[in-house]
Amino acid sequence: MTEDVKKTELELCGARISIMRAGHGQPLLILRGGDASDDWRPFMDALAAKYDVIVPEHPGFGGKAKPEWLDSTRDYANYYLDFLEALDLRGVHVVGFALGGWIAAELATRDCSRIASLALVSPFGIFEQDAGGLDTFLRSEEQGVRDMFHNEAVAEAELARVLAPETEDVRLSNQITIAQVSWTPRNYDPDLRKWLHRVHARTLIVWGAQDRILPAVYAQAWGKLIPGSRVEIMPDCGHAPQIEQPERFVRLVDSFIAEQRATS
Amino acid sequence: MKIFNFHLMPYAHVDVEAIRKAGTAWVNFPNSFYDPKKGADLYHEYLDQLEFADELGFDGVAVNEHHQTAYGMMPTPGVLAGALARRIKNGQLAVLGRALPLVNNPLTVAEEFAVLDNLTRGKVIAGFVRGIGAEYHTMQMNPAESQARFAEAHDLIIRAWTEPGPFHFEGKYYKIRYVNPWPRPYQDPHPPIWTPSSGSLSTIRWSAQRRYTYCQTLAPISAVAQTFRIYREEADKAGYQAAPEQLAWSNAIYVGETDEKALRDIRPHLETYANDFLSRNPVMMAPPGYTSVESVKRMRAIKSFMKSRQTAEDMIERGVVIVGSANTVREKLAAYQDMAGFGISLTKTQFGTMPHSMVQENQIAIAKEVLPYFKNRQPQPIKAAAE
């Protein structure tokens, strides 16, 4: 059953973005990854059954020009601090995927006062020597979609959905914005790990055991860097647990949030 | 027409089968395939060829810059130009170019050209390029910033050459408290600037507006003619008429005794050059932001065409290269000049796996049979077919 999804636009910091929002309850902010498309996925639906789910499109995505001020992921972090203020969100649960997880972590090192919990799902942002992984910028679009998933049947279904000819312009334009913030250093910020001890929100780190883009050894590294965080490895799962195993993923996030409510 | 001898300095001893297996001669084609002893010999042969070109009466010699590839062994073209600087007596010395966005401090480029210009007492031509897409992988510079960095680096270099130092430069990418390079360029106000490109509209316009010489890299002559037409239109819009000397066509020429023999002799070298040395993963060539979304879509559309191997006949037929008897080469070069209206030919006399002796014979043939016919030759208006 699809929730009633409201689409609105927001003009902030000179950038116009669209926001999808559905559900009732405590606010839950989803920061998308670099695969950002504007569709509403089943895992969002499941979360909207319990939360007020807010899914912004990152500035510079969706075929819109990259903002003048956007040089790095740090700029996104500061932008989303403004965003939380602009929407006056308090006690918000932030769930960030890949690039969005990186943004969420940067944001949380700056200010956690509006954040109730943080879920980082296969986030970029730190570098581990010898951890391996794929150079996403040397992969074709088709390879890029396949790289995301462990289950080939899921990959096949995603290929048809993601590589629709009518979204080619938007995908190519998104890639420019992604390159702007993640080309060099490749997918990380050398300063971030120095300050992750400043993340004061309770944090869940979720990783697919078969993540080929960013191997699961990164999950342990994040776990060590963020004090008191919990690491959950999802078996039979690649880089996008929310797409590959939406039900298990939503249960994981929901029970983490519920546990926190019980303790606080 | 001025005819320059242009060199790419390929690693001609490369294991071609290994390139085919790797699917690329660029970026991550392992450098274990480079043998320094063979490479050293090649450097000396290639520099000998360029010095020989100067003795033979070419209008100039040219080198260029590419990184981490068997296609060309000139990651630091300034070093090769430096080796040539005291040997080139007659013609000019063009470095086509330095890739401005690939350096962290473009003042190093301003300094390098200024030293070369002093060494040669003003024979240097300064090429400014962005580098090809693959270079953004090898040098790890951000392709999304390529155009903006190029523009800012250009402004910094021109100011460094023309404004009395020291002055403070505060750009978005380059922040330099004391801009005050020694030496200053020998030429006043600075060496001529040439801008090689594969035909990006923004580069053509930018170049025409500044009256820089535009160099079209390897392309069929019809595409070259179209590109040069756009340059002239952009010059008109900027309020002046472009001269043929502002347009340079980069080509390859091989002169043999007869058309048949020339084709037979050059075929393996030409086909290896086009199909193996140039082979690269298309994703590698189009990093995000390096070109516009429209250009990437255009490239994707012609991907199927790029996949098929090119034959020597294809390249000759489409006017990418000129191969044949002296008479054929003269006729074609004249026809192409009239068709596209260029005043400079950047001519490779060595390409792919061509051995030293074959290159020298080619250089001699061009010097004897082609150069004299093109001294002072200007593009002629093409006669209408009805006449």
Side-chain angles (χ1 to χ4, degrees), chain B residues 182-197:
Chain B
W182 290 61
R184 293 196 292 121
Y186 188 90
Q187 296 174 80
D188 184 21
H190 56 72
I193 291 163
W194 291 13
T195 54
S197 167

Side-chain angles (χ1 to χ4, degrees), chain A residues 172-193:
Chain A
L172 288 169
S173 163
N174 286 353
Q175 282 300 319
I176 297 174
T177 301
I178 294 166
Q180 176 64 54
V181 299
S182 60
W183 186 273
T184 188
R186 186 58 55 81
N187 284 326
Y188 76 102
D189 172 355
D191 291 332
L192 177 59
R193 67 186 303 141

Side-chain angles (χ1 to χ4, degrees), chain B residues 194-215:
Chain B
W194 291 13
T195 54
S197 167
S198 56
S200 111
L201 287 177
S202 59
T203 304
I204 298 167
R205 183 176 309 126
W206 184 88
S207 186
Q209 284 166 350
R210 285 163 184 77
R211 306 191 184 211
Y212 294 160
T213 293
Y214 175 84
C215 316

Side-chain angles (χ1 to χ4, degrees), chain B residues 104-127:
Chain B
N104 286 308
N105 184 344
L107 271 188
T108 58
V109 175
E111 290 172 338
E112 183 180 298
F113 275 125
V115 170
L116 284 170
D117 204 32
N118 279 259
L119 270 180
T120 58
R121 294 196 173 84
K123 291 179 173 171
V124 163
I125 291 161

